[in-house]
């Protein structure tokens, strides 16, 4: 004769028990930015591939070092977009027993590789080719095709940049912050990479055009080499910014200070909570956040009330911030009213 299972016997364990309490249906809210980032990366990748071929042909016909460097720049950007696409795809895989917090940080790994490739493949080649041109000179051909390709490339890169800027502007408006501050704080390194790379591409096209124009006016090919070096230095700066951001996220960066303080306030506002002496957060991926806190519950409440309050806390936090994936609360002693505020990242 089998013993009937009680509701407690049927409660989930392991990863199933760690599933967040969903107050509404936040899945659509969390998927929209991801889908938007995928579209931004695909548009940027296709534009860069077409531009790289056009620049290479124009560079070979004109003999311009800056145009060849711009071709390497666009090719590096194309391969970078491939890395970023891989980052988006692999970073959203669900958690398993081997990776209980999911694969979100893999997005940062691939984005870091993309930044390194931009440095090696784009910046290194452009600087080297520019120095070669200054030292040894070069045979210049027809300039017209280079100017045409630069103009078409500017239009294509501008289209990709506008797509990235719209995403950044929309996201910053939702957060109530400026676009520049959003770019500093966002864990979505894919849209940040596209935005910075497209910005660098537009500036690089202007530099290449200036180098060609000065070379044509003066007959001195050193100007073309200088433009190539300037493009390389520009790529170096972009690669350094992106690499630094991804390294910080890989180490385990906290959420922005404004979000940290709001989480602390939400936890402290629960009736049976006296204080939140310690609040720790970590960005697990572009769209996943872990929250761990030591919470001082009132001494008079029962264990059941603490459990109910913990569930209420998770619902509150996820209702305000759908990116919060895990909430771990540790009952501990504290001093009433003394909460851990002004933590997190303040950039």
């Amino acid at each position: 004769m089998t013993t009937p299972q009680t509701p407690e016997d049927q409660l989930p364990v392991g990863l199933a028990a760690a599933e967040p309490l969903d107050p509404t249906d936040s899945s659509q809210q969390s998927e929209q930015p991801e889908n938007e980032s995928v579209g931004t990366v695909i548009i940027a990748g296709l534009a860069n591939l077409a531009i790289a071929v056009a620049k290479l042909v124009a560079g070979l016909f004109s003999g311009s070092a800056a145009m060849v460097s711009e071709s390497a720049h666009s090719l590096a950007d194309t391969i970078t977009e491939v890395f970023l696409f891989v980052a988006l795809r692999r970073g959203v895989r669900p958690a398993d027993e081997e990776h209980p917090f999911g694969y979100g940080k893999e997005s940062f790994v691939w984005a870091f590789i993309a930044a390194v490739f931009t440095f090696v493949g784009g910046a290194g080649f452009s600087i080297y080719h520019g120095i070669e041109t200054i030292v040894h000179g070069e045979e210049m051909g027809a300039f017209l095709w280079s100017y045409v390709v630069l103009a078409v490339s500017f239009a294509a890169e501008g289209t990709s940049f506008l797509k990235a800027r719209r995403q950044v502007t929309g996201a910053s408006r939702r957060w109530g912050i400026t676009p520049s501050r959003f770019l500093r704080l966002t864990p979505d390194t894919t849209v940040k990479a596209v935005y910075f790379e497209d910005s660098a591409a537009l500036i690089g096209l202007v530099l290449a055009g200036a180098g060609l124009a000065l070379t044509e006016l003066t007959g001195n090919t050193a100007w073309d080499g200088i433009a190539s070096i300037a493009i390389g230095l520009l790529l170096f700066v972009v690669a350094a910014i992106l690499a630094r951001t991804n390294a910080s996220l890989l180490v385990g960066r906290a959420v922005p200070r404004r979000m940290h303080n709001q989480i602390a306030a939400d936890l402290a506002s629960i009736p049976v909570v006296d204080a939140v002496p310690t609040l720790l957060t970590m960005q697990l991926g572009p769209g996943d956040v872990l929250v761990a806190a030591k919470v001082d519950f009132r001494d008079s409440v029962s264990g059941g009330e603490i459990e109910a309050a913990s569930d209420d806390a998770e619902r509150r936090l996820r209702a305000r911030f759908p990116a919060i994936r895990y909430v771990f609360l540790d009952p501990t002693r504290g001093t009433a009213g003394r909460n851990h505020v002004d933590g997190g990242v303040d950039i």
Side-chain angles (χ1 to χ4, degrees):
M1 180 175 179
T2 59
T3 303
Q5 288 186 325
T6 64
E8 289 77 10
D9 296 325
Q10 299 172 8
L11 291 176
V13 296
L15 287 174
E19 284 298 310
L21 299 173
D22 199 351
T24 54
D25 182 10
S26 60
S27 59
Q28 293 181 351
Q29 300 176 40
S30 61
E31 287 173 5
Q32 183 181 359
E34 176 200 336
N35 294 334
E36 193 175 3
S37 296
V38 170
T40 300
V41 168
I42 291 175
I43 289 174
L46 293 176
N48 283 322
L49 179 60
I51 292 169
V53 175
K55 287 177 181 176
L56 179 60
V57 173
L60 293 176
F61 274 102
S62 66
S64 167
M67 284 301 297
V68 175
S69 295
E70 270 297 298
S71 175
H73 178 177
S74 294
L75 180 61
D77 283 352
T78 302
I79 298 176
T80 294
E81 308 307 338
V82 174
F83 285 135
L84 294 178
F85 182 80
V86 172
L88 286 170
R89 296 291 86 191
R90 292 185 64 82
V92 297
R93 288 181 295 165
D96 53 37
E97 291 295 342
E98 187 176 353
H99 296 87
F101 291 109
Y103 291 80
K105 284 186 179 292
E106 190 167 350
S107 297
F108 307 142
V109 173
W110 287 98
F112 182 83
I113 294 173
V116 172
F117 185 85
T118 297
F119 169 69
V120 175
F125 177 83
S126 297
I127 294 173
Y128 171 79
H129 198 52
I131 294 173
E132 280 284 305
T133 299
I134 293 173
V135 173
H136 302 292
E138 61 186 354
E139 290 292 329
M140 300 298 296
F143 289 88
L144 178 60
W145 284 110
S146 293
Y147 291 131
V148 170
V149 169
L150 286 175
V152 173
S153 299
F154 196 90
E157 293 283 7
T159 301
S160 176
F161 172 76
L162 289 175
K163 174 71 170 67
R165 191 181 72 171
R166 279 195 297 271
Q167 184 176 353
V168 169
T169 302
S172 62
R173 190 178 296 117
R174 288 193 295 270
W175 278 91
I177 57 179
T178 63
S180 60
R181 186 169 178 80
F182 171 80
L183 285 170
R184 291 196 299 271
L185 292 172
T186 180
D188 188 350
T189 53
T190 53
V191 68
K192 183 173 183 175
V194 172
Y195 185 92
F196 275 96
E197 287 170 0
D198 285 347
S199 300
L202 292 173
I203 297 172
L205 289 169
V206 173
L207 292 173
L212 281 173
L214 288 171
T215 299
E216 185 177 12
L217 289 173
T218 63
N220 185 355
T221 58
W223 288 111
D224 195 51
I226 292 172
S228 181
I229 293 174
I231 292 168
L233 293 175
L234 178 66
L235 288 175
F236 173 79
V237 171
V238 171
I241 292 173
L242 296 177
R244 182 172 178 267
T245 298
N246 285 288
S248 174
L249 289 164
L250 278 170
V251 171
R253 199 179 76 184
V255 300
R257 179 161 297 174
R258 176 176 164 183
M259 183 176 176
H260 174 103
N261 288 344
Q262 186 61 63
I263 292 172
D266 283 350
L267 291 175
S269 68
I270 296 173
V272 298
V273 171
D274 283 337
V276 184
T278 302
L279 174 60
L280 307 176
T281 63
M282 184 167 62
Q283 200 75 48
L284 296 176
D288 290 323
V289 172
L290 178 146
V291 175
K294 287 183 175 293
V295 179
D296 179 20
F297 291 96
R298 291 179 184 173
D299 295 337
S300 59
V301 301
S302 65
E305 289 175 300
I306 290 177
E307 291 175 353
S310 298
D311 286 349
D312 182 38
E314 184 172 354
R315 288 193 179 93
R316 288 191 188 199
L317 295 179
R318 285 185 52 77
R320 188 182 299 275
F321 301 111
I324 293 178
R325 178 69 178 173
Y326 300 101
V327 178
F328 299 110
L329 304 181
D330 177 20
T332 189
R333 293 185 181 276
T335 303
R338 293 199 62 181
N339 300 316
H340 182 188
V341 295
D342 292 334
V345 181
D346 187 25
I347 301 179

